[in-house]
Amino acid sequence: MCPARELRDREAQNRLHRFEMLPGTERDRRPRGDPLRAVKEYSRPAAGKDSTNPTELRPPAVLLKTVRYLIDEITAPSHQHPWTEVYSFVFDRLRSVKQDMIIQRVSGSDCVAILERTVRFLIYASYRLCGEPLRLYDPRINDTHLQEYLSWLLDCYATGSEAHPNQEEFQALALLYNLGSARATQHIMELPERLRSTPAITLALSINQAFLERNPVRLLRLARRLNFLQTCALHRHLAACRRDLLLVYSHGFSSRNCRFPLERLSQLLSLDTLLTAQLCQTYGVEVNQDNQVVFSKAAFSEPEQGKLHCNLYHSIVSEKQKDLTVQNIIHGCA
Amino acid sequence: MLRVQVRTCSINLHRLVLLLCFHRLVLLLCFHRLVLLCFHHLVLLLCFDRLVLLLCFDRLVLLLCFHRLVLLLLCFDRLVLLLCFDRLVLLLWFHRLVLLLWFHRLVLLLWSDRLVLLLWFHRLVVLLWFHRLVLLLWFHRLVLLLWFHRLVLLLWFHRLVLLLWFHHLVLLWFHRLVLQIYEAIDNHDGSFCAELLSFKHPHVANPRLQLASPEEKCQQVLEPPYDEMVAAHLRCTYAVANHDFVEAYKFQTLVVQSFLRAFQSHKEENWALPVMFSVTLDLRIFANNAEQQLQKKAKGQPGEMLEKAAEQLMSCFRVCASDNRAGIEDSKKWGMMFLSNQLFKIYFKINKLHLCKPLIRAIDSSNLKNDYSPAQKVTYKYYVGRKAMFDSDFKPAEEFLSFAFHHCHRSSQKNKRMILIYLLPVKMLLGHMPTHQLLRKYDLMQFADVTKAVSEGNLLLLNEALNKHETFFIRCGIFLILEKLKIITYRNLFKKVYLLLRTHQLPLDAFLVSLKMMQVEDVDIDEVQCILANLIYMGHIKGYISQQHQKLVVSKQNPFPPLSSVS
């Protein structure tokens, strides 16, 4: 998984990652690399650097094995190390896998298999690391790369001639991740009828439609039917969705004498009552002592930057995880 | 010439010598005859006469042979005359033979009175006359054959001559075209030059202009960079005639690039604007055709050629936009709108609408924006309206598209229809429904059901109509906008409920029932509340919802404001 020359160089320069060192030599001044665990790292292409040397490139079968190794041996097991470290290691190594694939112009079932796992990993990571400090995890970088992988994967589906069993899953994931985007919706509408009528995509389309119509009640209700990974893809829009609900209700129920029961609201928002109260507070919506919400047009306000902690409200996603292992999630066996 | 003359002289000498020999011989014989006469021997006389005649004949024959030889040496292709001589010679031989036989006959007559022999001789004579006839015919045939071959050779020579003349003509046409272009450039006649360089002009169908390598000829007449431009244009016509649009596109790129170099060097003049219009239009058309050809062969990335064409057009646009020095009359800024329109067409095709923004900004900030020709303005407003629609700015979109629709020329029905396809959804979102008459006039009956459903608040019919014409709407890219009409439909439906119940405190159940009547699945009271809250938020309903009483309380005045006043 790593060219010999690179392993030697990195060993000499002490640039090995913790996960690549020979067990027992981590504390040495010059740790030794484990050839069975070292993975080729990503290096930015530069003028004069020959990235096309065949001895350094990994063929598609090896790339797939590398990806499997990264998921089974690095991502899935629980470490004593924080998951952000795991993420940055796996992210970087997957990037070098992508680079090798581009240089060799890999296409076909190998390419699709690698891309599918990568996409699943990044979607899972976008949920799991939500709320981490910026220096450890940057959601924008994750998003940029995820969009690139997704568009490449959708391209493969569009141009390849063989049938792809997971296509509907990923088309649905793409739409859910890019909820409300006209481009993504138009792309789905242009798929063949047979594909568009599969349950996953139909559900994703209805959720998209509910988002475009600004019907958060329907959206959150439909979102309960999604599986774990799909909810991970959707989760970054949930905050906007809840905000819409509070905004629209602030206008619709805006009356001094009217009250709205908090449990009802928490049911609609798929949160528990405490969290609902907290959310209302963040948006300036008044909750009185009897656990009744007093909606008012004037009272609603946007929270300041950084006040809204998305990861407090992850229950809708986390409850679906239950007994799914990370390995199963990313390999898609769930 | 001298050799021939020497030869002729030598031949003449030989001839003279032989003639003299013969004359001598003849004279000798005459002398002998005279001697014989003295002996009164008639038979011998006749023999001598016969001999004399023979010799005369031989002489004649030899003379003719010599003449023939002379002619051979002097004129090689006078085969006909040769044959005539051969014929004459043979004729004379025959005559000689005949005369010989006649003499023999005469002699025999004189010697004996044998009739049989006479007849035999007559027969022989007739046979020989017959053979003579046959040989004559054969010779005639040979002569005719040779005449025929001569004709064939003549025709072949004529053909060769014609081919050379043809090439000469090709070069003449070519030369003519290049000269015309040179004149047009010299006179700064932009529109004529544009015609000569455009593919709509009939000269491109002229097979005489389809040369594979016209560079040298162009370089002789035109200056750089015009010579490259015209050479590339001619190569392009060649490629188009062979239906190879990828090659045609490459050459047209060269045309545009060399034209741009020339255009940039025109300081404070803009006569070449029509040329720019025609070459850029052809570039875009070839890019389209090349894309289609590549798609059929499943090669290359979709949109690649169009993107490259867009880059070229963008560089032309920059040249036009940065022309600050010239006055209004001579400014190159007059070309900006045409180029923007071409670029819009490409960007809409490759679905990169965000690239339209800088163009729109540039045109908006220019002071010429209302002075362009109506056709260009209509196209511009059409595309800007579509972009605004895509960005969900419906009020400006309606403005632009209405302008385009009203100013579009009455005879361009197809263009009017295209504008209407995008104008209708926008107007419907603002509450103005089209009439049936209008839809029928422009063959847009797909919108009829949608219109009916929205104005009646009939969600069921709306869903059915959208499903039925799904393909058409998706292809035009308006399906998503028509889905937005659902909110308007909800509003109309709920207004009906309000009008039916005639009270200001409407129970939420009534709305739920109305939705269930429209066969909207799995909707419950919470969703009804949400939909109503949304309508209140958007300003379509004036009022509030009371959770405790499960009622919608609407304002006593104008609870459902008209659609055009909202948003």
Side-chain angles (χ1 to χ4, degrees):
Chain A
M1 294 183 293
C2 183
R5 189 184 61 81
E6 185 184 313
L7 182 58
R8 270 200 318 272
D9 288 345
R10 279 206 279 147
E11 223 178 67
Q13 294 163 12
N14 201 7
R15 282 195 297 121
L16 288 169
H17 196 278
R18 202 202 308 263
F19 298 139
E20 297 168 322
M21 295 174 191
L22 260 175
T25 62
E26 288 102 344
R27 302 233 185 251
D28 297 352
R29 203 166 55 87
R30 196 64 78 73
R32 301 266 311 285
D34 185 352
L36 290 174
R37 293 175 69 207
V39 187
K40 183 176 174 190
E41 73 172 356
Y42 173 74
S43 63
R44 202 170 281 280
K49 197 191 291 186
D50 179 23
S51 329
T52 60
N53 189 351
T55 56
E56 313 260 316
L57 290 173
R58 298 166 284 181
V62 175
L63 288 172
L64 187 55
K65 274 198 219 153
T66 311
V67 171
R68 278 187 203 277
Y69 164 78
L70 284 170
I71 294 169
D72 295 337
E73 305 299 326
I74 310 284
T75 322
S78 49
H79 300 259
Q80 66 268 44
H81 309 294
W83 213 77
T84 46
E85 216 179 301
V86 171
Y87 167 80
S88 63
F89 176 73
V90 176
F91 180 82
D92 180 82
R93 298 309 187 260
L94 284 174
R95 208 172 166 197
S96 102
V97 165
K98 176 186 175 197
Q99 197 179 26
D100 278 1
M101 281 209 292
I102 291 177
I103 293 174
Q104 295 172 86
R105 300 204 198 189
V106 178
S107 62
S109 54
D110 273 339
C111 175
V112 166
I114 295 173
L115 287 174
E116 285 179 353
R117 284 171 177 74
T118 317
V119 166
R120 285 200 195 103
F121 170 75
L122 289 176
I123 290 181
Y124 173 67
S126 77
Y127 154 71
R128 175 138 178 200
L129 294 176
C130 173
E132 296 282 341
L134 209 56
R135 58 184 169 80
L136 293 175
Y137 165 73
D138 188 345
R140 282 193 71 127
I141 294 181
N142 193 52
D143 174 53
T144 320
H145 282 87
L146 181 53
Q147 297 281 20
E148 272 177 33
Y149 283 115
L150 263 176
S151 73
W152 188 359
L153 182 61
L154 295 178
D155 251 349
C156 284
Y157 286 145
T159 54
S161 50
E162 65 248 11
H164 300 282
N166 297 329
Q167 192 181 147
E168 65 224 32
E169 180 196 340
F170 281 93
Q171 297 280 8
L173 278 174
L175 183 58
L176 288 169
Y177 190 73
N178 291 316
L179 204 65
S181 143
R183 195 183 37 85
T185 320
Q186 181 78 6
H187 169 81
I188 295 276
M189 298 310 282
E190 286 167 1
L191 289 176
E193 178 67 37
R194 178 188 44 85
L195 195 55
R196 243 190 304 144
S197 47
T198 51
I201 297 185
T202 327
L203 184 56
L205 267 176
S206 341
I207 293 183
N208 190 45
Q209 178 62 23
F211 184 80
L212 288 172
E213 270 176 28
R214 220 206 316 260
N215 194 340
V217 168
R218 190 178 169 81
L219 199 157
L220 289 166
R221 176 174 306 151
L222 287 171
R224 289 196 203 125
R225 284 199 254 160
L226 293 172
N227 70 17
F228 173 65
L229 194 62
Q230 287 168 332
T231 326
C232 287
L234 181 66
H235 109 280
R236 65 180 187 148
H237 302 286
L238 287 174
C241 197
R242 292 189 177 114
R243 171 209 170 261
D244 272 349
L245 186 82
L246 287 175
L247 174 64
V248 162
Y249 273 37
S250 294
H251 279 76
F253 288 83
S254 175
S255 159
R256 245 173 301 136
N257 303 321
C258 288
R259 303 283 177 266
F260 197 93
L262 190 64
E263 303 97 60
R264 201 66 186 281
L265 188 62
S266 50
Q267 246 177 22
L268 293 175
L269 289 170
S270 312
L271 295 171
D272 68 5
T273 42
L274 273 166
L275 284 172
T276 316
Q278 200 173 355
L279 189 68
C280 289
Q281 204 176 25
T282 327
Y283 280 100
V285 178
E286 189 195 321
V287 183
N288 67 10
Q289 284 90 328
D290 305 328
N291 274 352
Q292 302 278 354
V293 186
V294 184
F295 282 115
S296 159
K297 256 194 295 213
F300 180 88
S301 59
E302 299 286 347
E304 293 151 22
Q305 190 70 278
K307 269 264 175 164
L308 182 68
H309 300 291
C310 173
N311 50 356
L312 293 174
Y313 309 105
H314 275 182
S315 54
I316 185 175
V317 192
S318 50
E319 69 199 14
K320 298 199 189 181
Q321 187 167 6
K322 287 186 253 200
D323 47 353
L324 289 172
T325 61
V326 179
Q327 196 164 356
N328 282 343
I329 294 167
I330 299 183
H331 280 305
C333 316
Chain B
M1 242 348 257
L2 201 67
R3 249 198 12 213
V4 176
Q5 275 177 333
V6 165
R7 206 181 280 170
T8 343
C9 285
S10 60
I11 289 167
N12 283 338
L13 268 166
H14 278 286
R15 182 169 164 260
L16 216 66
V17 163
L18 274 159
L19 262 174
L20 287 164
C21 284
F22 268 108
H23 277 292
R24 176 170 167 264
L25 213 70
V26 167
L27 274 162
L28 262 174
L29 285 165
C30 284
F31 183 71
H32 279 288
R33 182 174 173 265
L34 219 69
V35 166
L36 277 165
L37 257 172
C38 303
F39 287 97
H40 293 284
H41 200 231
L42 212 68
V43 174
L44 279 157
L45 253 173
L46 286 163
C47 284
F48 267 97
D49 274 306
R50 173 180 168 255
L51 210 71
V52 166
L53 273 159
L54 266 172
L55 287 162
C56 285
F57 267 97
D58 278 315
R59 172 177 169 261
L60 216 68
V61 167
L62 275 157
L63 261 173
L64 289 161
C65 282
F66 266 104
H67 276 286
R68 176 174 171 266
L69 210 70
V70 165
L71 280 157
L72 250 177
L73 291 162
L74 284 174
C75 327
F76 276 93
D77 52 350
R78 303 289 175 87
L79 278 163
V80 174
L81 276 158
L82 266 178
L83 283 160
C84 284
F85 269 107
D86 277 315
R87 176 173 169 264
L88 215 68
V89 163
L90 274 157
L91 261 175
L92 287 161
W93 273 106
F94 267 104
H95 279 291
R96 175 172 174 260
L97 218 70
V98 166
L99 277 160
L100 258 174
L101 289 159
W102 194 70
F103 268 108
H104 276 290
R105 175 179 170 259
L106 215 68
V107 163
L108 275 161
L109 259 178
L110 291 164
W111 285 105
S112 76
D113 234 291
R114 308 259 182 98
L115 207 71
V116 175
L117 279 155
L118 256 170
L119 286 161
W120 191 74
F121 270 108
H122 272 289
R123 178 178 165 259
L124 215 68
V125 168
V126 166
L127 266 172
L128 283 160
W129 273 107
F130 182 71
H131 278 289
R132 174 180 172 257
L133 214 73
V134 166
L135 274 157
L136 260 174
L137 288 162
W138 191 74
F139 266 106
H140 276 288
R141 176 179 163 261
L142 212 69
V143 167
L144 276 160
L145 263 173
L146 282 158
W147 269 105
F148 181 71
H149 277 292
R150 176 175 172 259
L151 211 73
V152 166
L153 273 161
L154 264 172
L155 285 162
W156 190 72
F157 270 112
H158 274 289
R159 177 176 163 264
L160 214 68
V161 167
L162 270 162
L163 264 172
L164 286 161
W165 187 69
F166 198 71
H167 269 286
H168 174 65
L169 214 71
V170 167
L171 284 162
L172 260 178
W173 269 97
F174 182 79
H175 200 76
R176 183 165 160 257
L177 178 76
V178 173
L179 274 174
Q180 276 180 329
I181 295 180
Y182 176 72
E183 265 176 45
I185 291 175
D186 225 17
N187 298 339
H188 289 198
D189 187 350
S191 33
F192 186 52
C193 197
E195 260 184 58
L196 291 169
L197 286 170
S198 113
F199 273 81
K200 297 210 180 112
H201 194 258
H203 79 268
V204 296
N206 190 345
R208 299 191 196 107
L209 284 172
Q210 287 156 15
L211 287 177
S213 51
E215 274 87 8
E216 309 94 49
K217 209 64 192 132
C218 287
Q219 273 172 358
Q220 282 171 18
V221 183
L222 298 162
E223 298 166 0
Y226 297 111
D227 57 346
E228 279 173 45
M229 180 171 83
V230 177
H233 172 72
L234 287 162
R235 277 188 181 269
C236 201
T237 47
Y238 188 67
V240 169
N242 294 343
H243 280 280
D244 186 358
F245 287 107
V246 184
E247 284 293 303
Y249 168 76
K250 285 201 196 115
F251 288 124
Q252 192 69 15
T253 320
L254 278 173
V255 173
V256 172
Q257 280 170 346
S258 27
F259 171 75
L260 201 60
R261 265 183 280 145
F263 197 45
Q264 270 174 319
S265 66
H266 293 172
K267 301 290 181 202
E268 308 207 2
E269 50 189 13
N270 65 354
W271 60 268
L273 274 178
V275 184
M276 184 176 76
F277 293 165
S278 82
V279 298
T280 48
L281 178 66
D282 288 330
L283 182 72
R284 184 179 66 82
I285 292 177
F286 289 150
N288 263 330
N289 294 341
E291 286 259 342
Q292 281 174 8
Q293 272 193 337
L294 286 178
Q295 288 272 13
K296 275 192 211 141
K297 295 187 207 158
K299 265 196 265 179
Q301 292 277 63
E304 196 186 333
M305 310 227 81
L306 282 170
E307 275 193 48
K308 289 198 198 138
E311 277 167 44
Q312 293 276 325
L313 291 176
M314 206 49 194
S315 45
C316 295
F317 185 81
R318 279 190 214 109
V319 169
C320 288
S322 56
D323 183 26
N324 292 317
R325 283 196 341 214
I328 293 270
E329 294 297 315
D330 301 315
S331 171
K332 297 192 176 77
K333 292 198 175 175
W334 288 105
M336 276 166 68
M337 196 171 257
F338 183 89
L339 285 172
S340 316
N341 291 341
Q342 296 296 317
L343 281 163
F344 285 152
K345 288 187 192 181
I346 296 183
Y347 291 146
F348 270 84
K349 193 139 198 187
I350 56 176
N351 214 356
K352 292 210 171 162
L353 273 70
H354 59 279
L355 294 171
C356 298
K357 213 159 81 165
L359 295 169
I360 299 175
R361 241 183 315 169
I363 300 247
D364 269 347
S365 61
S366 103
N367 49 354
L368 292 173
K369 70 176 163 201
N370 293 323
D371 303 324
Y372 287 101
S373 79
Q376 287 180 13
K377 278 202 287 199
V378 164
T379 316
Y380 177 76
K381 297 264 181 192
Y382 168 69
Y383 281 109
V384 174
R386 271 182 74 178
K387 169 107 181 26
M389 230 172 94
F390 195 76
D391 294 335
S392 307
D393 296 331
F394 295 115
K395 264 249 154 21
E398 196 230 342
E399 219 180 281
F400 293 129
L401 289 168
S402 303
F403 178 96
F405 186 67
H406 286 123
H407 288 81
C408 184
H409 197 270
R410 186 175 314 145
S411 59
S412 354
Q413 286 285 320
K414 195 164 92 83
N415 284 346
K416 283 200 121 147
R417 181 171 184 268
M418 270 166 57
I419 301 175
L420 209 52
I421 289 178
Y422 296 98
L423 183 56
L424 282 174
V426 173
K427 283 229 162 193
M428 285 204 273
L429 274 171
L430 294 170
H432 306 294
M433 300 296 152
T435 61
H436 229 69
Q437 210 181 356
L438 180 74
L439 294 175
R440 211 174 308 125
K441 181 175 173 195
Y442 289 101
D443 187 25
L444 286 171
M445 294 310 284
Q446 294 94 336
F447 288 95
D449 279 339
V450 174
T451 315
K452 185 156 173 273
V454 172
S455 45
E456 285 174 9
N458 190 340
L459 277 165
L460 179 64
L461 184 60
L462 179 68
N463 284 328
E464 272 174 18
L466 287 177
N467 279 330
K468 195 159 81 166
H469 300 289
E470 200 177 51
T471 347
F472 172 74
F473 292 142
I474 292 177
R475 207 168 8 103
C476 294
I478 50 176
F479 188 79
L480 299 170
I481 302 200
L482 290 172
E483 295 243 298
K484 287 199 212 265
L485 288 171
K486 270 210 190 129
I487 299 195
I488 312 282
T489 322
Y490 281 131
R491 178 251 182 215
N492 289 339
L493 180 65
F494 293 163
K495 183 171 178 181
K496 279 205 177 148
V497 173
Y498 161 71
L499 289 170
L500 277 171
L501 294 178
R502 274 187 264 177
T503 160
H504 296 288
Q505 294 178 350
L506 303 154
L508 295 176
D509 263 336
F511 297 111
L512 184 58
V513 165
S514 71
L515 286 175
K516 287 258 193 279
M517 259 178 63
M518 291 294 161
Q519 296 179 25
V520 180
E521 294 129 21
D522 70 328
V523 64
D524 63 352
I525 219 70
D526 289 318
E527 265 197 61
V528 171
Q529 286 181 349
C530 188
I531 295 172
L532 284 167
N534 198 14
L535 286 170
I536 295 173
Y537 170 66
M538 287 176 74
H540 290 300
I541 302 180
K542 283 205 214 157
Y544 64 91
I545 310 171
S546 165
Q547 170 67 13
Q548 295 109 305
H549 305 290
Q550 290 283 297
K551 280 198 167 47
L552 169 72
V553 181
V554 294
S555 136
K556 293 202 171 64
Q557 288 168 341
N558 201 11
F560 288 85
L563 284 164
S564 42
S565 62
V566 181
S567 85

